[in-house]
Amino acid sequence: MYTTEFLDLPPLASAGGSVRLPGSKSISNRVLLLAALSEGCTEIADLLDSDDTRVMLTALEQLGCQLDRLDGGLLRVQGIGGQLPVRQATLFLGNAGTAMRPLTAALSLLATTHGGCFELGGIARMHERPIGDLVEALRQLGCPVDCLGSEGYPPLRLGNGQAADLHLDQPIRVRGDVSSQFLTALLLALPLVARERSVTIEVVGELISKPYIEITLNLLQQFGVTVSREGWSRFTIPAGSRYRSPGLVHVEADASSASYFIALGALAPASPGHDGITIEGVGLSSIQGDIRFVEAARLMGADVSGEANRLHIRRGRWPLKAIDLDCNHIPDAAMTLAVMAMFADGATTLRNIASWRVKETDRIAAMATECRKLGATVEEGDDFIRITPPVHWEPASIHTYDDHRVAMCFSLAAFNPAQLPIRIQDPKCVAKTFPDYFESLFSVCQAYPGQVPVICVDGPTASGKGTLAAAVAARLGYHLLDSGALYRLVGLAADKAGIPTDEASLADPTTADRLGALARSLPVRFEGGSTWLGDEDVSDALRAESAGMAASRVSAVPQVRQALLELQHGFRRLPGLVADGRDMGTVIFPDAPLKVYLTASAEQRAQRRHKQLISKGIPARIEDLLADLKARDHRDMSRAHAPLKPAEDALLLDNSSLDVEQSVCQVLDWWQGRSGLPVR
């Protein structure tokens, strides 16, 4: 997951390949609660690991529910059988509506019937999301529910510690036109108190997001409760209801998350060697209502086929066809249509989306604002948005409002025909439902040739280029290449593979070819301040004198030099690369948009190296270090192959009087100027 302040996406050209989606958030949190309320143990497979499920898991453990992680990614939940082992707790539920609403209903009923008291709250945005209609429905039942801040909004106090009877003789009335989660919450909770008599819910007004209620009813049946209904206005939980574990439950992949990759297949030309995008884990038979996004994508021109657990998408009609669509049945996935609309042949209108106003943010306002940044013409109303594609696309920095769906939707704008980069602010907000979204996106997308950005940091020994490059890469979320370690890695890998590196062996063409093949496929990565060779952290091993001597010998082998040139080019992957060395800007990446030549006086570098060695308990004399650095500088600058020198277009950065943070800020300022993106 990217945890950077922002993530810059270069212009994307094509897409192709397969992605496996995480489990559905809606199903995951429903299943967790049902398993916790049931009699017996439930094993859950393919559970979503995200912010929203984590707060639900934490809450269930606080309530006395035993959770065990099993092999194969299974979670075992020991149900509490409708009892209340913990009578008092304060639960933090973040911004997870799928945790807040059902837990509010279930704990209100349990606190009232068993004599408990619970406080539920979340982040500031959660306290702005209305829950008054659910609160009123619970008060009809006789549940003591207090709003601790503004009336009708969390945080809430449920129960007063005293047991009391519920009023179950009359239907419970709840509005259906604000959020379907209120009805879902009651449907999940009421079987706990329908032991002696049936309980009826009446929906007031039009029920929105009906497919989410279908998910709830389907899962209730899996846990032993069959709800009868009259249309979408009256639901009855039969007398004698109780939850029983089905044993093993598989969580479908998230159909809402599938919308981004369905849209990707519709927008992007197929990459060479591919025939579009394949989505694994969810298919046309999904119980999730958002699978009907497929219908909307087809209306716009996407070529979508599929089976029970798989979808395949190819670009069909181009440009996409503008549509006018009632989106009540796909409220979350419909946000993806708003970005697809910017690639259509006219104005697209999305209707019946009033629920967007009370989600993680005011999504109608958010989508309108960010589409306008890109050059689109947008009209918005209480329950609709109309988007006309840009005549002239603009580079944009997308504000994501701490809303995962805004971030994921607008990543698709990187396919804009003007080939402009897009900045996604706060990319970590996708952790709510799809922590690895951007990694999955990059795994199937290709940029235009030469468009993956590279920042080169070259400089003499002990100038601090490795430290600077690693810090810049971490701030931008870019890959890192420490070219200075590569020859040492070849020597180390050769030793592990039993390939000799003494001078006599290296003179043998067969051995040289073997070393070249080894270098070409070196499984190296630079992460978390460490150097990895496959699954092994070899950072310490690379510092050994033997590794340095082997590096010196293998660096003279032409096959190794050519192989490492190809290997280094392979580090140029989405979303970008920071490469440090002595010839990154002059030889390896001469087309890099930003080249930094980092230097400091030999005296300053010697002092830094001296402090570094002394801190590690290694004796050293500044005079010796200074002489060694000057000698190495002379060798590096006068060597025949790729001598050390600044690239002609490099920016010089003398860090003699700068600390690391000051140097990083300078490079980031230069990069901002080269990126062509607005800051906000």
Side-chain angles (χ1 to χ4, degrees):
M1 183 177 72
Y2 288 87
T3 58
T4 51
E5 179 183 351
F6 58 82
L7 181 62
D8 289 345
L9 310 183
L12 298 178
S14 63
S18 298
V19 292
R20 177 164 286 278
L21 302 178
S24 161
K25 176 189 69 170
S26 297
I27 295 177
S28 290
N29 269 350
R30 284 168 170 81
V31 166
L32 281 173
L33 183 58
L34 288 168
L37 298 175
S38 293
E39 300 170 358
C41 285
T42 303
E43 292 184 356
I44 305 173
D46 303 319
L47 183 74
L48 172 66
D49 180 16
S50 74
D51 287 350
D52 280 20
T53 53
R54 289 183 196 128
V55 296
M56 176 65 96
L57 288 166
T58 299
L60 294 179
E61 287 186 304
Q62 286 181 258
L63 295 169
C65 186
Q66 182 178 334
L67 308 175
D68 297 300
R69 297 284 181 181
L70 307 178
D71 292 340
L74 291 175
L75 177 73
R76 179 190 291 144
V77 181
Q78 176 63 59
I80 61 175
Q83 300 304 305
L84 200 58
V86 173
R87 301 294 174 94
Q88 187 171 352
T90 298
L91 308 180
F92 175 79
L93 300 174
N95 197 18
T98 56
M100 172 65 78
R101 277 74 180 270
L103 280 171
T104 293
L107 290 178
S108 292
L109 297 181
L110 291 174
T112 303
T113 55
H114 291 79
C117 184
F118 302 94
E119 291 189 7
L120 277 59
I123 67 169
R125 174 57 186 169
M126 176 60 82
H127 298 169
E128 297 171 351
R129 298 176 67 178
I131 199 170
D133 293 301
L134 178 58
V135 168
E136 287 306 311
L138 293 168
R139 287 172 176 167
Q140 292 174 43
L141 286 162
C143 297
V145 181
D146 296 315
C147 298
L148 302 179
S150 300
E151 182 62 29
Y153 296 85
L156 306 172
R157 181 186 296 115
L158 313 175
N160 56 17
Q162 304 297 316
D165 293 331
L166 294 171
H167 309 317
L168 300 173
D169 52 334
Q170 296 294 321
I172 299 100
R173 295 168 59 83
V174 63
R175 282 180 61 184
D177 57 355
V178 176
S179 173
S180 65
Q181 287 183 6
F182 300 155
L183 176 56
T184 278
L186 292 171
L187 288 169
L188 292 172
L190 286 170
L192 297 171
V193 294
R195 300 291 177 90
E196 305 299 329
R197 60 179 303 157
S198 62
V199 182
T200 299
I201 307 168
E202 288 186 353
V203 177
V204 179
E206 181 187 2
L207 177 63
I208 64 172
S209 307
K210 297 180 181 69
Y212 285 99
I213 302 304
E214 290 180 330
I215 293 175
T216 302
L217 297 175
N218 184 295
L219 294 174
L220 284 169
Q221 192 163 29
Q222 288 188 48
F223 281 84
V225 175
T226 300
V227 177
S228 62
R229 66 181 177 92
E230 300 174 22
W232 295 102
S233 61
R234 189 178 178 92
F235 299 80
T236 300
I237 295 95
S241 292
R242 62 177 186 174
Y243 287 131
R244 299 178 182 85
S245 170
L248 176 65
V249 177
H250 285 270
V251 176
E252 280 188 6
D254 186 45
S256 300
S257 296
S259 72
Y260 313 115
F261 292 94
I262 295 170
L264 174 64
L267 293 173
S271 298
H274 293 280
D275 188 28
I277 297 292
T278 299
I279 299 171
E280 304 282 356
V282 68
L284 297 177
S285 61
S286 170
I287 66 170
Q288 300 168 72
D290 274 348
I291 196 62
R292 293 184 63 189
F293 181 85
V294 167
E295 300 169 11
R298 285 171 172 164
L299 286 175
M300 297 189 79
D303 182 344
V304 185
S305 58
E307 48 199 86
N309 207 39
R310 183 180 294 112
L311 296 170
H312 186 72
I313 308 95
R314 294 181 298 182
R315 197 192 216 194
R317 170 177 174 148
W318 194 257
L320 295 175
K321 177 179 173 56
I323 59 174
D324 189 321
L325 186 67
D326 184 324
C327 298
N328 180 52
H329 59 299
I330 51 169
D332 287 339
M335 294 175 68
T336 312
L337 296 175
V339 175
M340 292 176 69
M342 292 192 291
F343 296 85
D345 58 4
T348 289
T349 304
L350 308 178
R351 302 184 186 277
N352 207 357
I353 54 172
S355 64
W356 284 20
R357 298 282 189 191
V358 295
K359 295 286 188 175
E360 282 80 346
T361 188
D362 181 339
R363 286 175 167 171
I364 293 180
M367 297 302 289
T369 299
E370 305 311 311
C371 285
R372 290 184 184 116
K373 286 183 182 178
L374 291 160
T377 301
V378 184
E379 180 184 354
E380 60 177 293
D382 291 339
D383 66 348
F384 77 91
I385 189 169
R386 182 174 296 112
I387 299 167
T388 303
V391 175
H392 301 289
W393 284 78
E394 301 289 342
S397 180
I398 302 298
H399 181 51
T400 51
Y401 308 86
D402 195 26
D403 189 331
H404 54 133
R405 301 208 184 280
V406 174
M408 292 186 279
C409 285
F410 279 99
S411 66
L412 301 173
F415 282 94
N416 66 83
Q419 297 184 23
L420 297 170
I422 300 295
R423 173 168 292 175
I424 304 294
Q425 297 175 29
D426 189 28
K428 66 180 179 296
C429 67
V430 301
K432 183 175 177 68
T433 53
F434 199 161
D436 295 330
Y437 169 74
F438 288 105
E439 289 87 345
S440 297
L441 179 71
F442 296 148
S443 74
V444 293
C445 288
Q446 286 72 46
Y448 291 95
Q451 287 278 35
V452 175
V454 178
I455 299 174
C456 295
V457 182
D458 289 319
T461 298
S463 59
K465 56 186 180 293
T467 301
L468 175 63
V472 171
R475 295 279 274 273
L476 293 174
Y478 284 2
H479 300 286
L480 176 65
L481 168 58
D482 176 3
S483 67
L486 293 180
Y487 286 110
R488 287 175 175 257
L489 283 162
V490 173
L492 184 64
D495 183 61
K496 291 179 179 294
I499 302 175
T501 59
D502 59 276
E503 292 185 5
S505 298
L506 293 178
D508 179 358
T510 301
T511 301
D513 287 342
R514 289 180 66 195
L515 273 176
L518 178 73
R520 188 170 290 105
S521 59
L522 208 61
V524 57
R525 67 186 194 278
F526 305 96
E527 292 179 359
S530 297
T531 303
W532 297 81
L533 190 60
D535 295 327
E536 182 182 359
D537 183 347
V538 296
S539 305
D540 292 335
L542 291 180
R543 299 188 184 101
E545 183 178 356
S546 58
M549 294 175 66
S552 179
R553 294 192 298 270
V554 301
S555 66
V557 179
Q559 292 93 324
V560 172
R561 290 202 301 270
Q562 179 59 38
L564 289 184
L565 177 65
E566 298 170 13
L567 182 73
Q568 289 173 98
H569 285 161
F571 272 82
R572 191 173 193 170
R573 304 189 301 273
L574 291 169
L577 173 67
V578 180
D580 86 81
R582 294 184 176 87
D583 58 0
M584 294 295 98
T586 54
V587 176
I588 309 301
F589 300 109
D591 63 338
L594 177 60
K595 302 168 188 173
V596 176
Y597 190 82
L598 185 69
T599 189
S601 66
E603 290 75 14
Q604 180 66 37
R605 287 183 282 136
Q607 289 181 8
R608 291 174 181 170
R609 178 61 59 86
H610 182 261
K611 289 181 180 178
Q612 183 184 49
L613 293 173
I614 294 299
S615 69
K616 295 179 179 180
I618 302 173
R621 296 176 66 248
I622 289 183
E623 295 80 0
D624 295 339
L625 294 173
L626 179 59
D628 180 62
L629 284 173
K630 288 182 176 180
R632 292 185 66 173
D633 287 352
H634 178 73
R635 288 197 305 271
D636 288 341
M637 292 176 182
S638 58
R639 65 189 179 191
H641 176 70
L644 174 64
K645 63 178 181 178
E648 290 184 2
D649 54 347
L651 299 176
L652 299 181
L653 178 57
D654 187 330
N655 68 353
S656 298
S657 60
L658 302 177
D659 60 25
V660 174
E661 180 60 21
Q662 289 171 320
S663 298
V664 170
C665 288
Q666 178 60 76
V667 173
L668 292 177
D669 283 346
W670 283 336
W671 181 239
Q672 177 62 41
R674 298 289 176 93
S675 72
L677 286 163
V679 177
R680 293 293 178 190

